Amino acid sequence: MTKPISISFIVRIILLIALTASFVQFETFYTQREVIRNMAYGLNTFLTASVLISIGHFILVKLYNSRNEQQVVRGNFVLGITRVATVGNVFFIIVSLMIAVGINPKDFITSMTIVAMAIAVIFREYITNMISGLIIMFSDQFSVGDRIKIGEYQGKIVDITLANLVVRDEDDDAVMIPNNLVFTATLVNKTSQKSNKIVVKFELPIDRSFAVAELEQYLSPLFQKNPNLDHSQGFTIRVADMTKDYIKYKVEVSTISSSNKIHQQVQSNILNEILQFTRMQG
């Protein structure tokens, strides 16, 4: 869903029309006052670019949303367009300031080529991070709200910036993961496929393990009372692996929704019931 036209956009349109009209109405005034003329040209450059960027942003988001109206829309594309629009506005603010103080942007960029190359080398990591961030934003591999595991970090993506992937971990800490790491480390998206079915894994010491039938008998009535489970699908418990020290189990259930919050609640409930069962039998 696209946002309504903002008051700032309307103000920019009015200022641009008034400023453009003043160039015709007060041509002599601007000719005689070079400083004011440069400032007016600089402001005109910024307003023109800002309005065009805003219109382009609105049209692209509108087209994207209408194209995906019947589908689950992932916010990466909209986020990417917004970041590009922000970078564009910052660029034209700099250009407008140059014009306002009487500097020709083309000549300035030409004379600063060597310096720009040095800056590019110094800020190489940030530049590559920014490019990686844009690639991530325009991809559909994951989006804000997905739960991921990358390297030693895991949690929910709460934001994607031009420098970092912001992940909220299990301790509710905000972890800043450099965008470059996404392309160099193994990344697991735990919510890329929206499904009502979840798998809960746990393990028990070999001397405290139980037969699958015992677990099913204990958990069956408890699962029937859980309002977040789809009772028509039932549940299954199986042994996933066994070593000389422990046994790994898998519990498969279907929830009433693919919501991450419900999945976490169900997983927590199952593990708590297993803990209670082992204590009772202990």
Side-chain angles (χ1 to χ4, degrees), residues 5-238:
I5 296 176
S6 65
I7 296 177
S8 65
F9 178 76
I10 297 175
V11 171
R12 280 177 283 160
I13 287 286
I14 295 173
L15 286 176
L16 179 61
I17 294 174
L19 191 59
T20 303
S22 72
F23 288 144
V24 178
Q25 189 72 21
F26 304 103
E27 182 178 0
T28 304
F29 174 82
Y30 284 120
T31 302
Q32 296 174 351
R33 294 167 176 82
E34 183 179 358
V35 174
I36 297 179
R37 182 186 64 199
N38 289 338
M39 293 178 63
Y41 283 165
L43 181 59
N44 182 73
T45 300
F46 168 71
L47 290 173
T48 301
S50 179
V51 168
L52 290 177
I53 288 173
S54 296
I55 293 174
H57 177 273
F58 178 82
I59 292 174
L60 288 173
V61 172
K62 185 72 174 177
L63 289 174
Y64 177 75
N65 287 340
S66 61
R67 181 180 178 184
N68 296 274
E69 189 173 359
Q70 304 300 325
Q71 304 176 18
V72 177
V73 178
R74 301 171 71 81
N76 287 30
F77 182 84
V78 176
L79 182 62
I81 289 297
T82 302
R83 300 294 192 206
V84 170
T86 302
V87 172
N89 279 320
V90 171
F91 172 78
F92 280 105
I93 286 175
I94 296 173
V95 171
S96 300
L97 289 174
M98 290 182 186
I99 295 175
V101 297
I103 299 175
N104 188 320
K106 183 179 179 181
D107 294 340
F108 178 81
I109 293 173
T110 302
S111 62
M112 291 292 290
T113 301
I114 297 177
V115 177
M117 291 177 63
I119 293 174
V121 172
I122 295 172
F123 295 98
R124 180 180 58 185
E125 289 297 324
Y126 183 82
I127 293 172
T128 56
N129 256 335
M130 184 176 68
I131 295 173
S132 298
L134 289 174
I135 294 173
I136 292 170
M137 292 173 196
F138 287 108
S139 72
D140 59 356
Q141 296 178 351
F142 53 85
S143 181
V144 172
D146 285 354
R147 301 191 65 82
I148 66 167
K149 179 179 180 181
I150 177 170
E152 60 185 273
Y153 308 107
Q154 61 179 335
K156 179 182 178 181
I157 301 174
V158 294
D159 195 13
I160 303 174
T161 70
L162 291 175
N164 303 299
L165 206 63
V166 185
V167 174
R168 184 77 62 181
D169 65 12
E170 302 299 331
D171 296 325
D172 205 33
D173 295 326
V175 181
M176 310 296 180
I177 302 175
N179 290 327
N180 285 340
L181 189 61
V182 174
F183 298 98
T184 57
T186 301
L187 185 146
V188 179
N189 188 347
K190 298 185 177 182
T191 54
S192 60
Q193 298 296 328
K194 297 295 182 181
S195 173
N196 290 8
K197 180 173 289 187
I198 63 172
V199 177
V200 180
K201 302 177 182 179
F202 64 95
E203 60 184 48
L204 296 173
I206 196 76
D207 59 341
R208 298 287 299 276
S209 60
F210 303 96
V212 170
E214 291 182 86
L215 292 173
E216 288 179 344
Q217 184 178 4
Y218 174 76
L219 294 175
S220 181
L222 299 174
F223 281 2
Q224 293 299 323
K225 297 177 183 178
N226 194 318
N228 291 324
L229 294 179
D230 182 358
H231 305 302
S232 63
Q233 299 296 322
F235 71 96
T236 59
I237 302 177
R238 62 188 179 89

Side-chain angles (χ1 to χ4, degrees), residues 203-210 242-247 249 278 281-282:
E203 60 184 48
L204 296 173
I206 196 76
D207 59 341
R208 298 287 299 276
S209 60
F210 303 96
M242 182 171 62
T243 69
K244 64 182 181 65
D245 297 318
Y246 59 84
I247 296 179
Y249 298 87
T278 55
Q281 301 300 319

